[in-house]
Amino acid sequence: MRPTDLHRVTVPGRPAFRGELLLTAVSRPDPEANSYRSSLVRLEPGETVAWTHGERDTAPVISPNGRWVAFLRAVGEQAPQLHVMPTFGGEPRRLTDLPLGAGAPVWAPDSIRIAFTARVPESGRYGTATGSDGEKLGADNEPPRRITRRDYRFDGEGFVRDRPSRLFVVDVEATTEAEEPTPLTDDTASVKDPAWTPDGTGVIVVAPRDWDARESLHDDLYLVPAGGGEPRLIVRCPGTAAHPAVCDDGTVFFYGTAFEGQNSVARNTGLWATTLGEGGDDEGGTAPRRLTDAESVDCDTAAGPPAPRDDDVLIAVRNRGAVELRSVPRTSAGAALSTLPLVTGQRAAVRSFVTDGDRIAVVQAGPTDTGEVLLVDGDGSVRTLTDFSESLRKIGIRPVEEVTATAPDGYPVHGWVALPEGEGPHPVLLLVHGGPFTQYEWSLFDEAQVYASAGYLVVLTNPRGSAGYGEAHGQAVVGGLGTVDADDLLAMLDAVLERPDADAERVGVMGGSYGGFMTGWLVAHHGHRFRAAWSERAVNAWDSFTGSSDIGWWFAGAYVGDDPDEQRRRSPLTYADRITIPFAIAHSEQDWRCPLEQAQRMFVALKAAGTETEMLLFPGEGHELTRSGQPRHRVQRFEAVLEWWQRHLPVS
């Protein structure tokens, strides 16, 4: 895979499934237009049929009676708006005209109403103000923001307290033309993840603790009357909460973590349950119970809500680089991962799933694809319905091998190598993921493919601090970044360098976010191991990160502590004068997770130390450049990375 092959990366979204109708949104980057294209397709036996032809159509959901499909459509620079169309085909009808767009639709049991959340701007902000000539005023003409809390912005979203996310309900039959509906929740708290009650009289939402009365990392579940009225606390959660799913008997399943105060990092997300009923009060709500084991089961909330069935609940679980679809008995209490039946996802990554009766539609990615739609029948048999990655396979996908190693203290280390063509020996690139509480996966990784295709042997590993290997594995670096995680990375590198196809004299290291932190840390403390380094969107100095990052006010203290001396000891910037190998810095100008000053401080320090260094800045991008940035910038970044490595780690 070359940088110019980015347009071949085709990714299906969460399916919509009812009866014989199975839909998904298919997205791909378009570097020529510098945008992402997405349309809905219908999956039929042996073929994929276009269902819509919009520029960016996403989030399809079929009504319970099977009559309607609701979805989001964005045109040009406009924000996505809610649309519906009959399941037998026809022209979509637009239902909303919201200045900042609508969120994913959720059908009511009556198949007439749709719930969704949407950000509502303060009057006069985000294009809602006009000048004397009737033209919309830009952001530069808005009044100053009065900021009183630390949780006022979020990377990729921008400022959030002057445009809270509010709950809406629209009537498909009563809405004849696009309109701006009235929100059901006030502007005090941002809400998310709406789910209807079985009788259709209310919508359960996730909202910050005490309806966002103060800064908090805790969430609770609230019931909002569908016809309007005050929200009622349903359950006071032990930590975070996400994606409630309500059963006909009133049981509410949801994802959640458990922690005290701001000690929220590296916590496994479990499946929880509570009861919808008259319980729940302003003091504490009903007490939830945890169905899954806190140590071994870590739910991947990105795969969507849990799916209750007759006797069990389906969840996606991170496990040693896989994201597996597992079945949890409804009566479980602290069930360990080993006791949960595997449905699909072994050595693969389940991206999303939905059920229709005893059938399951699954989007699953593997080592040779970016995601295909699978159908799991009631008897457990699995059929792959799509071949969206055919274009990538035609140009060639480099194979990936599993590798294990042992750290100096005897701890087992797990990872992979992506193999270039030929016998080698090849130059080696050690890649370090972000997080740190995330994982490299059993799925096609575009970066590893690009570098392996260019002739590099790419090393991927999940050191201590990563997700998917138990909560203790993730917690191992809390208060100790740059200790056992560095040991694990170097142990894996040593194991790979024993291979005959690896050139131990030509090794580079690179990573982003936490991976950028670790890149700086490794070359400052073990610089003799590497020829050059590439660090991007990195945390380089915890003292300034604390006050400048959108999450710095709690994240730095949770991982490093609040002592200024310890923050300096755990900062790569402190050891910049030890870095003597060529060191590239890549950063986005609008990165609010690891702000630009993190790159600037390291660049200045390296220049002062006389180190060969350069800084590559991407305008208009945030922290997620490599995953969802402008397609042209993603291609340009790949080209810059390869040019750097060819300069300092040439492929013979």
Side-chain angles (χ1 to χ4, degrees):
M1 179 180 174
R2 300 163 302 176
T4 52
D5 292 318
L6 185 66
H7 69 281
R8 302 178 187 272
V9 177
T10 302
V11 180
R14 186 167 185 253
F17 189 27
R18 192 166 302 279
E20 298 304 312
L21 183 59
L22 176 56
L23 302 172
T24 187
V26 180
S27 174
R28 60 178 59 86
D30 183 350
E32 287 192 10
N34 202 27
S35 65
Y36 290 85
R37 304 289 185 180
S38 181
S39 60
L40 307 187
V41 298
R42 177 172 183 165
L43 306 180
E44 299 180 352
E47 63 178 334
T48 299
V49 181
W51 182 256
T52 65
H53 302 277
E55 292 180 30
R56 294 189 303 282
D57 293 345
T58 59
V61 186
I62 304 170
S63 62
N65 63 7
R67 180 182 175 188
W68 299 100
V69 176
F71 65 98
L72 300 179
R73 168 168 287 182
V75 180
E77 299 299 320
Q78 296 178 353
Q81 301 292 345
L82 181 61
H83 288 66
V84 294
M85 64 184 296
T87 53
F88 54 79
E91 287 298 315
R93 178 161 53 95
R94 178 171 161 176
L95 299 181
T96 62
D97 185 18
L98 292 158
L100 301 182
V106 181
W107 282 102
D110 59 16
S111 297
I112 296 175
R113 294 167 297 163
I114 298 173
F116 63 93
T117 61
R119 291 202 173 275
V120 180
E122 287 181 358
S123 177
R125 294 199 185 277
Y126 303 102
T128 60
T130 57
S132 57
D133 57 359
E135 292 292 321
K136 289 185 177 181
L137 297 178
D140 291 344
N141 294 304
E142 293 179 358
R145 291 179 172 85
R146 185 180 301 277
I147 296 171
T148 60
R149 291 172 42 156
R150 293 170 291 182
D151 53 351
Y152 64 93
R153 59 193 175 120
F154 201 76
D155 183 78
E157 293 188 46
F159 294 101
V160 293
R161 303 214 67 83
D162 55 6
R163 47 175 174 175
S165 179
R166 303 171 71 176
L167 177 67
F168 293 82
V169 170
V170 295
D171 187 312
V172 173
E173 296 183 351
T175 304
T176 58
E177 60 183 25
E179 60 182 36
E180 184 172 345
T182 301
L184 294 182
T185 55
D186 60 27
D187 61 1
T188 305
S190 282
V191 302
K192 63 179 182 178
D193 301 342
W196 286 90
T197 58
D199 60 7
T201 61
V203 181
I204 295 177
V205 296
V206 177
R209 172 66 44 86
D210 298 328
W211 204 247
D212 205 16
R214 64 194 62 83
E215 296 155 336
S216 175
L217 301 181
H218 287 72
D219 299 316
D220 295 322
L221 300 184
Y222 290 83
L223 177 62
V224 181
E230 290 296 315
R232 176 169 63 88
L233 178 66
I234 295 299
V235 58
R236 195 171 179 89
C237 301
T240 62
H243 293 307
V246 193
C247 301
D248 289 341
D249 64 359
T251 303
V252 182
F253 295 98
F254 64 95
Y255 299 130
T257 59
F259 58 87
E260 297 291 334
Q262 297 179 6
N263 187 22
S264 63
V265 297
R267 298 292 182 184
N268 277 354
T269 299
L271 178 66
W272 298 70
T274 189
T275 301
L276 178 65
E278 297 305 318
D281 54 61
D282 291 337
E283 295 300 321
T286 56
R289 61 184 179 90
R290 189 166 191 159
L291 279 70
T292 55
D293 173 46
E295 169 58 30
S296 61
V297 179
D298 183 23
C299 300
D300 189 345
T301 61
R309 302 191 296 181
D310 291 339
D311 300 316
D312 64 1
V313 183
L314 297 177
I315 59 173
V317 181
R318 298 191 285 192
N319 180 29
R320 293 182 60 82
V323 182
E324 301 169 338
L325 190 63
R326 296 269 183 162
S327 168
V328 183
R330 285 196 181 202
T331 56
S332 293
L337 179 64
S338 60
T339 68
L340 305 180
L342 174 69
V343 179
T344 186
Q346 186 174 30
R347 295 198 168 195
V350 170
R351 299 297 187 214
S352 58
F353 60 96
V354 294
T355 61
D356 181 50
D358 61 356
R359 300 177 300 166
I360 314 166
V362 181
V363 172
Q364 178 176 294
T368 61
D369 64 84
T370 55
E372 305 294 350
V373 180
L374 282 57
L375 184 61
V376 182
D377 290 316
D379 60 2
S381 61
V382 181
R383 291 178 287 158
T384 302
L385 303 181
T386 61
D387 192 10
F388 293 128
S389 292
E390 178 186 14
S391 177
L392 278 175
R393 280 192 286 271
K394 282 183 176 179
I395 63 171
I397 294 174
R398 300 312 308 158
V400 176
E401 290 183 2
E402 189 175 19
V403 182
T404 58
T406 303
D409 62 357
Y411 196 84
V413 187
H414 179 237
W416 303 262
V417 290
L419 303 176
E421 187 175 4
E423 295 182 357
H426 307 285
V428 176
L429 291 181
L430 173 64
L431 270 61
V432 188
H433 65 60
F437 196 58
T438 184
Q439 62 173 4
Y440 281 132
E441 296 180 334
W442 285 99
S443 61
L444 190 148
F445 181 31
D446 61 350
E447 292 202 41
Q449 287 295 317
V450 167
Y451 308 147
S453 297
Y456 296 95
L457 192 151
V458 182
V459 184
L460 309 165
T461 190
N462 289 324
R464 274 171 278 189
S466 304
Y469 299 78
E471 188 169 276
H473 184 91
Q475 287 279 313
V477 300
V478 174
L481 290 175
T483 58
V484 294
D485 46 355
D487 291 342
D488 291 355
L489 289 164
L490 294 177
M492 177 59 72
L493 179 61
D494 286 336
V496 171
L497 293 180
E498 293 179 0
R499 299 168 57 104
D501 56 352
D503 188 343
E505 300 302 318
R506 292 187 293 160
V507 182
V509 59
M510 66 182 298
S513 196
Y514 160 78
F517 158 86
M518 186 54 68
T519 296
W521 186 269
L522 286 176
V523 299
H525 293 81
H526 307 277
H528 65 283
R529 304 289 303 269
F530 308 100
R531 287 276 191 92
W534 176 284
S535 171
E536 56 191 317
R537 60 185 187 278
V539 180
N540 291 313
W542 291 106
D543 56 353
S544 57
F545 175 90
T546 299
S548 62
S549 168
D550 60 340
I551 62 172
W553 59 278
W554 61 268
F555 187 92
Y559 263 112
V560 183
D562 298 321
D563 178 63
D565 290 335
E566 180 63 15
Q567 289 188 348
R568 282 189 289 272
R569 280 192 292 268
R570 293 295 161 195
S571 296
L573 181 67
T574 302
Y575 312 99
D577 59 347
R578 300 184 186 179
I579 298 175
T580 58
I581 63 174
F583 195 96
I585 299 170
H587 221 93
S588 296
E589 291 184 357
Q590 296 180 16
D591 189 337
W592 285 3
R593 181 60 40 84
C594 296
L596 180 57
E597 56 88 14
Q598 293 285 310
Q600 293 167 322
R601 293 183 70 186
M602 180 62 90
F603 178 71
V604 170
L606 291 175
K607 280 292 187 181
T611 302
E612 180 184 344
T613 185
E614 57 188 61
M615 184 163 57
L616 189 67
L617 297 182
F618 288 89
E621 299 289 358
H623 198 64
E624 296 298 306
L625 163 64
T626 62
R627 292 175 282 268
S628 58
Q630 297 176 47
R632 286 180 191 166
H633 279 160
R634 292 177 65 185
V635 172
Q636 290 163 353
R637 174 193 166 272
F638 271 141
E639 292 171 342
V641 170
L642 293 180
E643 189 278 331
W644 172 264
W645 289 123
Q646 184 59 29
R647 196 190 328 162
H648 297 287
L649 212 65
V651 177
S652 56

